[in-house]
């Protein structure tokens, strides 16, 4: 029998340390090659795993993988009918039909088939798993032996767990039926890793068509022995370390194909001659390096050994870029920095601290947020790195930077208003606020200093909280240790579910313990929404409830910078300068459109 998912996965924003260069770097004589440098390494080609959704992996996957749909900056599904079609054929029950275009082909020449979609359903629905991962405080798996012995894709999606029936296949079409409405249905399922490669690796079937068919048969028959091997291969065969040894398994569907993986250092991509969609490869080869520190990236640009660099946006980096003759430098914004208030940790903002009086706790939350000098944070901290920066006024950035609308308009700190709220609530003693924040980041440290100074005028004593198990683990696992978290909030691969799981009572990623009748009503309505045109209004209702309750405050988008050689003349044998490269927002769930400069019009 198929069963419901037995576990959920919480996505955390990880800080990744980039190792030093250990192998010979690409040489300057590289006609037809574009070299890109970034600060995050590639870790997996499998977008169904946490490693595959890490920023450095998303960057690579967005150029080598095509599919039915991508996600734009606003969280909107962008359909690629050259790959196939996604159609909602019924609302009750929600039924979605996928039809693969005959031109869709893997880079080894094997056609894309419903077997590839069926494998992804098996992996992400959780219906076939019979063992769940056990995690330690740092989120590391501690029961690898049990996972290897059982059926453990260990990657259940909050959307696809609702697709509990075995999908039906008819020719080039797969049909999926959901047990409940899923607002993210447009982006819930897509082609990910190749079923035929998994079948060859896990089941030892050489012929690609027969290998894909063997995977499908194992899923339909619930063959535990075969599924154990298949799930293990799905989990691990597409990690960077595995692909470094078997790059032939890095089969893809996009304009480029993976040619070389050097873990922690670089990935080299080549033109995919099997790709027949829009936006074919503009270059013979694209090299994505992650082995250079920020100032070393600038040096590589100046030396002509890199064409596009995306270092951390700091004053030192910008000053160094100013010295690169002819460089085209662009700044922009990435993930939204937010203050999220803890309401369930018996601290400054928990009703329990005030004898269970929710109105008093709400007043204290709103008073604290009124003391935040968002205009000064932008002008004094961010604008020197990104002159166009503005106060972020939307509260749901996991969907997009403007999701939910302009519910918290910009302005200076309202010290008088904050004092009035506290006086009316009868709060006369100083309130200590422990802030969970990465103080090793100069940007966030400077923000915290301004917040601390402003809040002190009203009687809030703001103190930084030093994480014990780490920023991410303590955000999730230590609610009684912090009162506010100053964190970057990236876009989610399931944008609407990210709002539901983060803000409704008891949600899987509700790290602040937020519970509110108006929010629950708004998220319940959003959860039932399967019409994409109706989503905007539902998100606005959620955002308005959060603003009214003093749950969260957006500050500003994190500044980023990208630089290209611009008008600088290429040295003999190098590639012409890349045109119109936008700032690289690694917090985006999908970077397909960022690569427009590396694809033909």
């Amino acid at each position: 029998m198929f069963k419901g998912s037995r576990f959920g996965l919480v996505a955390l924003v990880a800080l990744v340390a980039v190792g030093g260069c250990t192998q010979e770097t690409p040489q300057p004589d590289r006609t037809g090659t574009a070299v890109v440098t970034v600060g995050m390494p590639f870790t997996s080609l499998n977008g169904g795993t946490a490693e595959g959704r890490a920023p450095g992996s998303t960057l690579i996957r967005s150029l080598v993988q095509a599919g039915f749909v991508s996600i734009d900056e606003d969280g909107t599904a962008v359909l690629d009918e050259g790959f196939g079609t996604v159609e909602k054929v019924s609302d009750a029950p929600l039924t979605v039909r996928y039809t693969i275009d005959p031109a869709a082909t893997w880079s080894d020449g094997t056609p894309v088939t419903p077997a590839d979609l069926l494998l992804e359903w098996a992996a992400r629905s959780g219906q076939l798993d019979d063992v769940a991962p056990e995690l330690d405080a740092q989120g590391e798996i501690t029961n690898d032996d049990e996972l290897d012995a059982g059926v453990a894709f260990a990657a259940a999606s909050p959307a696809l767990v609702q697709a509990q029936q075995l999908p039906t296949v008819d020719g080039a079409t797969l049909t999926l039926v959901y047990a409940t409405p899923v607002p993210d249905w447009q982006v819930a399922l897509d082609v990910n890793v190749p079923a035929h490669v998994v079948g060859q690796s896990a089941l030892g079937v050489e012929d690609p068509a027969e290998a894909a068919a063997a995977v499908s048969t194992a899923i339909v028959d619930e063959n535990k022995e075969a599924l154990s091997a298949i799930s293990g291969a799905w989990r691990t065969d597409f990690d960077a370390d595995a692909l470094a040894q078997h790059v032939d398994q890095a089969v893809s569907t996009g304009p480029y194909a993976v040619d070389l993986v050097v873990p922690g250092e670089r990935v080299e991509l080549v033109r995919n001659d099997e790709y027949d969609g829009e936006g074919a490869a503009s270059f013979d080869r694209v090299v994505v390096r992650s082995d250079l520190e920020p100032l070393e990236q600038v040096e590589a640009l100046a030396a002509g050994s890199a064409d596009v660099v995306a270092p951390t946006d700091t004053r030192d980096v910008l000053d160094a870029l100013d010295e690169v003759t002819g460089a085209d430098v662009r700044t922009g914004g990435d993930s939204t920095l937010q203050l999220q208030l803890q309401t369930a940790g018996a601290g400054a903002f928990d009703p329990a601290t005030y004898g269970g009086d929710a109105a008093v706790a709400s007043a204290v939350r709103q008073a604290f947020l009124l003391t935040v000098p968002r205009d000064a944070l932008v002008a004094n901290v961010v604008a020197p790195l990104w002159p166009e920066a503005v106060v972020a006024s939307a509260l749901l950035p996991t969907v997009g930077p403007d999701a939910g609308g302009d519910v918290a308009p910009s302005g200076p700190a309202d010290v008088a208003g904050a004092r009035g709220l506290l006086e009316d609530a009868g709060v006369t003693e100083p309130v200590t606020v422990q802030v969970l924040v990465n103080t090793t980041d100069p940007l966030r440290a400077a923000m915290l200093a301004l917040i601390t100074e402003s809040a002190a005028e009203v009687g809030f004593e703001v103190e930084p909280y030093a994480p014990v198990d780490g920023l991410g683990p303590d955000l999730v696992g230590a609610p009684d240790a912090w009162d506010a978290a100053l964190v970057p909030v990236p876009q989610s691969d399931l944008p609407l579910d990210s709002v539901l799981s983060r803000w409704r009572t008891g949600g899987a990623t509700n790290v602040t313990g937020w519970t509110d009748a108006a929010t629950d009503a708004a998220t319940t309505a959003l959860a039932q929404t399967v019409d994409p045109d109706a989503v905007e209004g539902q998100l606005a209702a959620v955002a308005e409830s959060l603003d009214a309750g003093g749950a969260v405050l957006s500050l500003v988008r994190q500044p980023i910078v990208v630089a290209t050689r611009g008008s600088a003349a290429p040295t003999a044998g190098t590639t012409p300068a890349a045109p119109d490269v936008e700032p690289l927002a690694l917090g985006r769930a999908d970077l397909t459109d960022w690569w427009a400069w590396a694809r033909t019009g």
Side-chain angles (χ1 to χ4, degrees):
M1 292 287 292
F2 293 106
K3 60 183 184 301
S5 173
R6 297 172 57 190
F7 57 91
L9 296 179
V10 176
L12 300 176
V13 178
L15 300 177
V16 182
V18 179
C21 177
T22 58
Q23 298 197 14
E24 185 177 356
T25 58
Q27 295 302 305
D29 186 12
R30 49 183 175 79
T31 301
T33 297
V35 178
V36 181
T37 69
V38 296
M40 295 287 185
F42 167 77
T43 50
S44 177
L45 201 59
N46 185 345
T49 65
E51 293 82 4
R53 291 190 298 274
S57 299
T58 298
L59 181 64
I60 299 299
R61 289 191 301 102
S62 295
L63 193 56
V64 304
Q65 290 183 340
F68 291 99
V69 63
S70 57
I71 303 173
D72 72 8
E73 185 180 24
D74 296 325
T76 302
V78 180
L79 303 179
D80 180 1
E81 294 192 356
F83 188 89
T85 57
V86 182
E87 306 167 272
K88 178 166 62 72
V89 296
S90 174
D91 286 333
L94 175 61
T95 304
V96 183
R97 183 169 60 208
Y98 299 81
T99 302
I100 300 169
D101 190 275
T105 306
W106 294 101
S107 55
D108 62 0
T110 302
V112 177
T113 72
D116 301 304
L117 281 173
L118 186 63
L119 171 61
E120 195 63 8
W121 169 83
R124 305 303 309 283
S125 69
Q127 302 304 309
L128 301 174
D129 283 31
D130 59 16
V131 60
E134 297 174 2
L135 308 177
D136 61 19
Q138 283 71 40
E140 299 293 331
I141 294 175
T142 60
N143 63 331
D144 284 313
D145 291 343
E146 289 85 352
L147 295 179
D148 291 339
V151 178
F153 291 98
S157 154
L160 287 174
V161 294
Q162 303 301 329
Q164 295 163 8
Q165 298 180 28
L166 178 71
T168 59
V169 174
D170 182 11
T173 296
L174 179 141
T175 302
L176 199 64
V177 178
Y178 289 91
T180 63
V182 171
D184 283 310
W185 63 267
Q186 287 183 296
V187 297
L189 178 68
D190 212 329
V191 169
N192 180 23
V193 299
H196 68 281
V197 172
V198 171
Q200 290 169 328
S201 172
L203 305 178
V205 180
E206 293 186 10
D207 179 79
E210 293 177 4
V215 170
S216 294
T217 298
I219 293 170
V220 172
D221 294 345
E222 296 186 63
N223 182 326
K224 293 292 187 180
E225 182 179 356
L227 287 172
S228 178
I230 288 168
S231 63
W234 187 91
R235 282 199 326 272
T236 62
D237 279 5
F238 303 94
D239 290 349
D241 289 338
L243 295 181
Q245 302 299 318
H246 301 283
V247 75
D248 57 305
Q249 294 187 346
V251 180
S252 59
T253 52
Y256 289 84
V258 178
D259 186 56
L260 176 70
V261 176
V262 182
E265 181 181 332
R266 72 183 190 275
V267 178
E268 298 195 16
L269 313 174
V270 294
R271 187 187 306 274
N272 177 9
D273 292 328
E274 297 292 337
Y275 180 73
D276 195 32
E278 294 184 3
S282 297
F283 299 95
D284 296 326
R285 181 176 295 268
V286 172
V287 179
V288 181
R289 297 183 60 181
S290 59
D291 61 329
L292 299 177
E293 296 297 329
L295 291 176
E296 292 174 335
Q297 294 187 43
V298 179
E299 292 172 2
L301 185 73
S305 59
D307 302 291
V308 180
V309 298
T312 304
D313 189 358
T314 65
R315 188 69 262 164
D316 287 347
V317 164
L318 293 179
D319 289 344
L321 286 170
D322 283 343
E323 300 300 318
V324 181
T325 303
D328 180 11
V329 180
R330 300 186 183 190
T331 53
D334 195 357
S335 299
T336 298
L337 288 161
Q338 285 193 331
L339 271 174
Q340 300 183 356
L341 305 190
Q342 178 59 253
T343 64
F349 306 122
D350 187 345
T353 301
Y354 308 97
D357 194 325
V360 172
S362 178
V364 175
R365 291 194 300 269
Q366 293 181 64
F368 175 70
L369 295 180
L370 283 177
T371 70
V372 179
R374 292 191 295 160
D375 56 343
L377 296 179
V378 171
N380 299 339
V381 180
V382 179
L385 305 176
W386 174 25
E388 292 77 26
V390 296
V391 169
S393 56
L395 299 184
L396 305 175
T398 53
V399 179
D402 300 317
D406 186 6
V407 297
S410 60
D414 184 359
V415 171
R419 285 200 185 105
L421 283 173
L422 293 179
E423 289 172 1
D424 291 345
V427 178
T428 58
E429 297 296 321
V431 178
T432 299
V433 179
Q434 295 278 344
V435 179
L436 176 64
V437 59
N438 176 18
T439 54
T440 63
D441 175 5
L443 186 89
R444 282 172 242 180
M447 286 184 172
L448 182 63
L450 287 177
I451 293 169
T452 301
E453 180 181 357
S454 181
E457 296 184 43
V458 182
F460 288 102
E461 298 177 350
V462 176
E463 301 174 354
Y465 163 70
V468 175
D469 291 319
L471 190 68
D474 281 9
L475 181 68
V476 176
D480 57 346
W482 56 272
D483 302 299
L486 201 172
V487 290
V489 183
Q491 190 183 38
S492 172
D493 60 321
L494 291 176
L496 303 180
D497 179 80
S498 71
V499 175
L500 302 175
S501 61
R502 173 63 187 86
W503 292 113
R504 62 181 167 187
T505 299
T509 59
N510 187 339
V511 297
T512 61
W514 179 252
T515 179
D516 175 75
T519 303
D520 285 344
T523 53
T524 296
L526 176 62
Q528 300 296 315
T529 302
V530 295
D531 178 4
D533 294 334
V535 164
E536 185 175 348
Q538 304 294 355
L539 290 174
V542 176
E544 288 165 4
S545 72
L546 298 175
D547 181 55
V552 60
L553 185 67
S554 292
L555 305 179
V556 64
R557 294 175 69 184
Q558 193 156 293
I560 52 175
V561 63
V562 71
T564 65
R565 286 190 288 106
S567 61
T571 57
T574 63
T575 303
D580 300 326
V581 180
E582 297 296 326
L584 176 57
L586 285 170
R588 288 271 303 276
D590 189 314
L591 294 165
T592 302
D593 59 358
W594 182 79
W595 285 110
W597 62 270
R599 305 177 66 170
T600 59

